[in-house]
Amino acid sequence: MDLRQFLMCLSLCTAFALSKPTEKKDRVHHEPQLSDKVHNDAQNFDYDHDAFLGAEEAKTFDQLTPEESKERLGKIVSKIDGDKDGFVTVDELKDWIKFAQKRWIYEDVERQWKGHDLNEDGLVSWEEYKNATYGYVLDDPDPDDGFNYKQMMIRDERRFKMADKDGDLIATKEEFTAFLHPEEYDYMKDIVVQETMEDIDKNADGFIDLEEYIGRQAYQGGDC
């Protein structure tokens, strides 16, 4: 497979990996685009370049010589080749693109993990999270920014308990990931639906009427 064939295959796999029936709908967390470039393979493969490498990694490739790029690409391809048979299959390429798409999640979890595992025991308890996130604002009954932090904390606690499978109020890194990014876990779907309902149902009557739905779509800049 020559380079152009590889890029064409990459382009098709990128489109497959990114296609989602609900991609224009609101979610608890929004995934960033794999690239801010236009996805037009008739002009260039810049979008696919970002999708394959990750946008930040792709920037570093732009600074490399062709020989250095080839060497680094070879190392990446060896990671993609899951069965180590010396060939990259379409399925392996799809899996890699999906990994690149979700890499920001792992980076976000690592960043927040360091800020919340206060005793550095490899776990994050609800108390640690609560103290690190809300400790400095809960004593202020009337914050200047207008946020109801107590209500936000109640909502976070509910989600934390849902993510905490064994109910000990102490999260492993996997449970903490489910807490921060519930849309990525099947067992967290109920809480995603519940929080979305609460966000849209402005009059709290348990239903979403047309006005509330249209108002949400207009706020998000989406279409019905």
Side-chain angles (χ1 to χ4, degrees):
M1 180 183 294
D2 63 24
L3 180 59
R4 182 169 181 81
Q5 288 174 320
F6 177 77
L7 289 172
M8 286 296 293
C9 182
L10 172 60
S11 175
L12 292 173
C13 292
T14 301
F16 179 92
L18 294 179
S19 61
K20 296 179 180 179
T22 59
E23 62 184 351
K24 290 187 178 180
K25 304 303 180 184
D26 186 36
R27 307 178 70 184
V28 176
H29 293 277
H30 295 276
E31 296 180 9
Q33 293 294 320
L34 289 183
S35 174
D36 57 6
K37 300 179 176 66
V38 176
H39 194 186
N40 186 347
D41 296 328
Q43 295 182 359
N44 56 59
F45 295 103
D46 290 346
Y47 184 98
D48 306 291
H49 185 63
D50 285 359
F52 178 69
L53 296 171
E56 293 302 316
E57 183 71 10
K59 292 177 183 177
T60 68
F61 266 72
D62 294 337
Q63 313 303 318
L64 302 177
T65 65
E67 292 76 16
E68 291 171 330
S69 295
K70 185 176 180 180
E71 180 182 359
R72 188 177 296 187
L73 183 61
K75 293 178 181 178
I76 293 175
V77 169
S78 68
K79 295 178 182 179
I80 301 172
D81 181 18
D83 57 12
K84 305 303 178 186
D85 65 352
F87 298 92
V88 173
T89 66
V90 171
D91 286 338
E92 287 172 337
L93 196 53
K94 289 176 183 176
D95 289 342
W96 174 262
I97 293 172
K98 289 178 181 178
F99 168 78
Q101 183 185 21
K102 296 182 185 300
R103 185 180 298 170
W104 72 279
I105 292 177
Y106 309 132
E107 293 172 350
D108 177 54
V109 171
E110 287 298 327
R111 177 180 58 80
Q112 297 211 44
W113 184 265
K114 294 176 182 178
H116 292 98
D117 182 16
L118 302 181
N119 61 8
E120 299 183 345
D121 65 347
L123 300 165
V124 172
S125 68
W126 167 247
E127 286 300 315
E128 283 180 308
Y129 181 83
K130 182 179 69 173
N131 291 334
T133 305
Y134 297 104
Y136 72 99
V137 295
L138 291 179
D139 293 333
D140 184 357
D142 187 23
D144 294 335
D145 55 20
F147 286 107
N148 186 335
Y149 287 103
K150 289 186 177 180
Q151 187 62 38
M152 292 169 64
M153 186 181 71
I154 291 171
R155 179 161 156 156
D156 270 356
E157 183 176 12
R158 182 182 63 193
R159 190 198 289 186
F160 193 97
K161 289 179 177 178
M162 177 74 75
D164 177 30
K165 286 187 170 182
D166 58 10
D168 61 358
L169 287 180
I170 299 174
T172 63
K173 185 167 287 187
E174 185 72 11
E175 290 171 334
F176 192 64
T177 304
F179 166 67
L180 293 177
H181 301 280
E183 74 284 355
E184 299 297 329
Y185 290 81
D186 286 342
Y187 80 97
M188 296 292 289
K189 286 183 177 179
D190 286 348
I191 203 71
V192 173
V193 173
Q194 184 175 358
E195 291 183 4
T196 303
M197 282 285 296
E198 291 171 352
D199 289 341
I200 302 175
D201 181 20
K202 297 302 183 183
N203 60 10
D205 66 350
F207 298 92
I208 297 176
D209 58 35
L210 182 60
E211 184 177 347
E212 288 171 328
Y213 178 76
I214 292 176
R216 182 65 170 182
Q217 290 294 318
Y219 174 78
Q220 294 294 332
D223 52 10
C224 301

